[in-house]
Each structure stands twice: as C-alpha cells, then as structure tokens.
Amino acid sequence: MTIVQSDLVLPHVGGTRVAPSGATTVELVNPATGAAFAEVASSDAAQLDAAVDAAHAAQREWARLGPERRAALLWKWGELVRAESDDLAAADTLTMGKPLHETQREAPSIANRIRYWAGMADKINGRQLPIIPGHLSYTVREPLGVVGVIIPWNGPMGMFVGRTSVALACGNGVVAKPSETTPLSALRLAELTVEAGIPAGLVNVVTGDGSVGAMLAAHPRVEGLQFTGSVETGRKVATLAAPTFKQVVLELGGKAPNIVFADADLDAAARGTAWGVFSNTGQACVATSRLLVERSVADEVVERIVAIARGLKVGDPNDPTVQLGPLASERQHDRVCDYLKLAVAEHARAAVGGSPLPGPGYYVEPTVFVGVESQMRIAREEIFGPVLSVIPFDGEAEAVELANSVEFGLSANIWTSDVGRMLRLADSLDAGTIWGNTARLLHPGLPFGGFKDSGLGNASGEGALEGNTRLKRVSVLYGADLQGPGFGG
C-alpha cells in the first residue's frame, strides 16, 4: 500500500473507492511543512444515499451470519490492521503531524480494540426478568441497523476503529465521515474490512467537510449516531439527529483538572502532567490542561514540569527523536496562537514557551502559564494545544470547587498518597472518568463518557453496547392455570 494512492483521494462506498458526481474537493496539507500533497473528493447527497443503502443491504447479510462468524471476521480484520500498522501510522503522521514514533505504537494497539470487540460479539446478551409468575419475560439487544460515525482529526485511526468495531460487533452497518483533513487511515481501514471477508458495503467512508457530516447526522435511514468533536458542533449534530430520534452518543470537549496534592509522588505527578498536556501536541479532549496544585508545593511542581518542557524536542514528526510535532492544521495553529496572546492580555506569565515557532509547518512551543486565575479564559476554555495553566489551591474543598468550576466534565486526574482523599475527590468531581495517580488509562472494556458539556452517552465498555443497540422486551404467558387479558370468559 502507498499512503496516497493518487492525487485525488476517493470515498469508499459499497466496498470500493467511488468518485462522487460532484467536483468539489478538499486540499490535504502536511502540517509539518504546510504544503498540500493531494486532494480528497467531497461526497454529495447522492453518494451518501448510496452509502446508507449499501450499509443497510450488507447489514442484513451481516446479521444473518450470527455472532460467532461475525467474531471470526472481525478478528481477521484486526490481523490485517496489525499487518499494515506501519502504513496506517505513516498516514496519520502525514495528515495530522503526530510523531511517527507515537503513531507506530498506536497502530498495532488499535488491532487489539478490534480483537476485544470480536471477543464480545457473542456476549451481547439480554436478561431474564422473573417478575410476573407464569410469564417468561426477557430482554434482547438488537442492532440499530446503520450507525453514522463522525470522527475528528486528532486521533483518526484510533477513533475510527474504536467506534466502528463496536458497531460491527453489535451487528450494525456503518457509514463513517472522517475529518476532511485526515481521511487516509479511515479509508484504508474500511478497505481492510472487505479484504478480511466482511461483507462489502457494511463499512463505508464518505469524505468532505462539515456539510457532509451534517447530511449524515440528518439522514433519515441512519438509526444511530456516534460523534466526537467540539461542544458547538456536537449541539448542531444533536439537533440534526433529533427529528428522526436517532440514538446519539456525543464525546465532546474537555478542560481536565489535574489535581496535585503535597503528599503526592511529585516526580510522577510532574511526568504525568507533562505527558498528559504535551503528548499529541496537546490535541486531546482529555489533555491535563489545568494543573490545580496545592500551594505549598506549587513552585516545586511547576519547576519540574518546566524542566520537562524545556527538554522536549519539537520538530519533524518523522524524526524518531521528536516528541512534539506540529499542530494539525493552519487553522488550529492560529487558534492556539490566539490563546497564547490572550494569556498575556489576561496577565498570565509564561514560565516556559508561550510563542509559535518559525515555519515551515504549524509549530508552537510547549507552554506553561503561571499567575493564572480561575476566571481567565485560558483556564476555562479548551485550547487544544500544548498549553498548561497552573492554578494553586489550599485544601480539598477549594480543589473540588476549582475543578468543577468549568462547563466541561470529561475527565479528571488526582495525585495523592492518601487513599481516603482520593476516594472523596472521586466522589465529588463532575467528570465521567477519574484517573488516580495515573493519566489516560484507556481500554475498550472500560467506560468512557462525559458529564455536563462534555457529552452524552458512552463510547466504550458496556456503555458502548447501549449506544449501538436497542433493547427489546419479550413476555410470554406459559402458566397452564393462567389466562391472558381479554373480554368475556
């Protein structure tokens, strides 16, 4: 496989690459250089209809195979993904600038997500409900039909596999819409489903900008919708999905509190904080972008994080020694640079970094701001870049108040050696995922979803089953001495 098969990248519909009838394209740009290298064709309404039709037809075949056969085919898909992990890693590095040494570790691991859901395919069960004597009542989980998957640019292959594999394990067909700037890995992953023997048309990838995603969200024959992206876009997607009562899962933004107490292992906390906010150049919804640190150790912790930041190598993501690549696009670079200027206007002070780096490419320095107040925009809004805001606190109550003071509630980190304190804070924090003395522990079997403006539903673990199936209850009268309801008799 070559990463880019031609200068014009085509959608994957009905089991093959198909050109849409329209002539609209989106330029693909290498963020490490700022140079365009190809164009991707934008799917139109007719092509989206064809993708949904193909998914419906293939889904009926897929459902008839039964869970054991579906599991075997999913496992085969995982094997092919593992075999092509180097090319998939290179595709994401090319389109979003994530360092190659990171994508090369990530690509084989996503095959394990497929394997997990392959193993779950025959374990999606209902329950017997012994409620009323003389009646057998039970529930079954049925596939929705066709699930729309809209994924962002900051984790193209991982999010495609994470959302698609669970949908397939539950018996659904899929129409996916990757970001217009990072479609390559999703397109190849869809092709690999066909090579694995999964019915052609079960997994389709339409391409283009947000208007294509909007058509997918509103499509009347799409029964479920999985969206990952910004809060603003998530609200629009939910509104578009509402008229047809789609089952919707929204994984939205975050502004994760990273709470460090004086009794914590400060070296581990500093390393975890720095990795949590600087890896993937800070472009993660769970980035540890708010350091809430007990005042008595604030200077010490900041000193350690600053030392780590100064030692990070920023540059060409294909260089195996580079730890921070570019931001994923010129638009994202401009956004982060605007926040760097805003921080200065708000009278925060850069303990390290604080500036863009000269091009070509969309680079900024890893940055730590001190002198930050909780009401500042840099402390409340999702920057989505390698920017850390430091806010000291005094005592548990203030830590909880600061942590819960923003509109987001996706994840939170707690660093302390006091088990009781760890559990008290875990109970008090408004976040869907709590990490104690660690960061970004993820697994397909562990739930992951947000509170407040960070989302709706769950994209992983048992919650993902609820987002990809519908629950049916069956009650059958079997008692010989019982009579069902009716007139007379």
Side-chain angles (χ1 to χ4, degrees):
M1 170 204 171
T2 58
I3 298 172
V4 184
Q5 296 176 329
S6 70
D7 291 337
L8 181 62
V9 178
L10 299 178
H12 177 89
V13 175
T16 188
R17 296 289 186 100
V18 181
S21 58
T24 305
T25 61
V26 177
E27 200 171 55
L28 295 181
V29 174
N30 181 350
T33 64
F37 62 89
E39 292 184 324
V40 57
S42 295
S43 298
D44 53 18
Q47 185 167 68
L48 177 59
D49 285 341
V52 174
D53 288 345
H56 268 289
Q59 189 272 332
R60 289 190 287 271
E61 177 184 352
W62 184 241
R64 287 194 298 269
L65 293 179
E68 186 173 332
R69 180 58 179 156
R70 292 199 297 268
L73 293 173
L74 284 170
W75 189 276
K76 177 61 176 176
W77 181 35
E79 293 296 287
L80 294 179
V81 168
R82 183 176 294 277
E84 290 206 7
S85 59
D86 284 348
D87 284 335
L88 292 167
D92 276 10
T93 294
L94 174 65
T95 55
M96 70 158 295
K98 189 173 184 178
L100 187 61
H101 74 89
E102 288 191 28
T103 58
Q104 285 179 333
R105 287 200 304 268
E106 180 187 4
S109 73
I110 67 171
N112 294 334
R113 302 183 199 182
I114 301 173
R115 288 176 169 183
Y116 176 86
W117 287 109
M120 285 294 296
D122 61 354
K123 301 173 185 66
I124 302 171
N125 303 317
R127 293 191 300 145
Q128 183 183 352
L129 306 171
I131 305 298
I132 303 174
H135 294 75
L136 173 63
S137 294
Y138 61 92
T139 61
V140 292
R141 287 204 170 273
E142 297 182 341
L144 296 175
V146 172
V147 173
V149 175
I150 303 175
I151 56 176
W153 45 261
N154 64 312
M157 58 180 167
M159 291 192 189
F160 177 88
V161 164
R163 304 301 180 267
T164 300
S165 57
V166 61
L168 298 183
C170 290
N172 297 296
V174 170
V175 178
K177 208 295 283 186
S179 168
E180 63 269 29
T181 63
T182 57
L184 298 184
S185 57
L187 288 164
R188 182 56 185 155
L189 286 162
E191 289 180 328
L192 290 176
T193 65
V194 180
E195 293 179 25
I198 291 172
L202 190 68
V203 179
N204 304 271
V205 178
V206 293
T207 53
D209 62 16
S211 64
V212 181
M215 288 192 296
L216 177 58
H219 200 285
R221 297 189 67 220
V222 172
E223 288 85 4
L225 197 64
Q226 303 271 330
F227 171 81
T228 306
S230 71
V231 176
E232 179 183 2
T233 306
R235 289 194 176 103
K236 294 176 181 177
V237 164
T239 300
L240 290 167
T244 50
F245 300 106
K246 290 178 174 59
Q247 195 152 300
V248 177
V249 175
L250 304 174
E251 183 190 319
L252 308 179
K255 190 72 174 178
N258 188 64
I259 306 169
V260 179
F261 287 91
D263 66 347
D265 180 335
L266 298 186
D267 280 334
R271 290 194 305 270
T273 301
W275 181 78
V277 73
F278 297 140
S279 61
N280 201 19
T281 320
Q283 299 168 123
C285 54
V286 294
T288 53
S289 55
R290 281 193 299 155
L291 173 59
L292 309 181
V293 56
E294 198 158 16
R295 195 176 304 275
S296 63
V297 294
D299 290 345
E300 184 179 355
V301 172
V302 169
E303 182 180 335
R304 296 181 192 209
I305 294 172
V306 166
I308 294 171
R310 291 189 192 281
L312 295 175
K313 184 175 181 180
V314 183
D316 181 358
N318 290 293
D319 180 341
T321 66
V322 161
Q323 293 154 301
L324 266 72
L327 292 161
S329 67
E330 183 177 18
R331 178 181 179 182
Q332 187 61 20
H333 181 263
D334 291 346
R335 172 186 170 86
V336 173
C337 289
D338 285 345
Y339 273 106
L340 296 178
K341 295 173 185 175
L342 176 64
V344 175
E346 291 183 316
H347 305 295
R349 178 175 63 84
V352 66
S355 301
L357 292 169
Y362 310 129
Y363 295 92
V364 297
E365 297 176 306
T367 299
V368 176
F369 282 114
V370 295
V372 178
E373 302 291 337
S374 62
Q375 74 274 12
M376 292 180 179
R377 287 178 59 191
I378 62 166
R380 305 186 66 82
E381 298 177 11
E382 187 174 39
I383 298 173
F384 230 60
V387 181
L388 177 66
S389 297
V390 181
I391 305 174
F393 68 84
D394 297 295
E396 288 183 28
E398 186 181 9
V400 171
E401 181 182 0
L402 288 169
N404 291 339
S405 66
V406 299
E407 296 304 312
F408 298 102
L410 186 60
S411 63
N413 300 69
I414 309 165
W415 302 85
T416 180
S417 61
D418 186 330
V419 175
R421 171 183 286 156
M422 179 76 73
L423 297 177
R424 286 192 298 274
L425 261 73
D427 283 346
S428 301
L429 296 178
D430 292 334
T433 299
I434 309 293
W435 286 301
N437 293 330
T438 188
R440 294 202 203 177
L441 179 67
L442 299 170
H443 186 277
L446 295 173
F448 183 74
F451 295 172
K452 301 192 289 189
D453 280 3
S454 287
L456 176 69
N458 215 282
S460 187
E462 61 183 323
L465 299 179
E466 295 176 5
N468 284 274
T469 59
R470 58 187 184 183
L471 191 66
K472 176 182 286 185
R473 188 258 288 185
V474 178
S475 293
V476 178
L477 171 66
Y478 67 86
D481 57 342
L482 298 177
Q483 183 175 336
F487 292 108

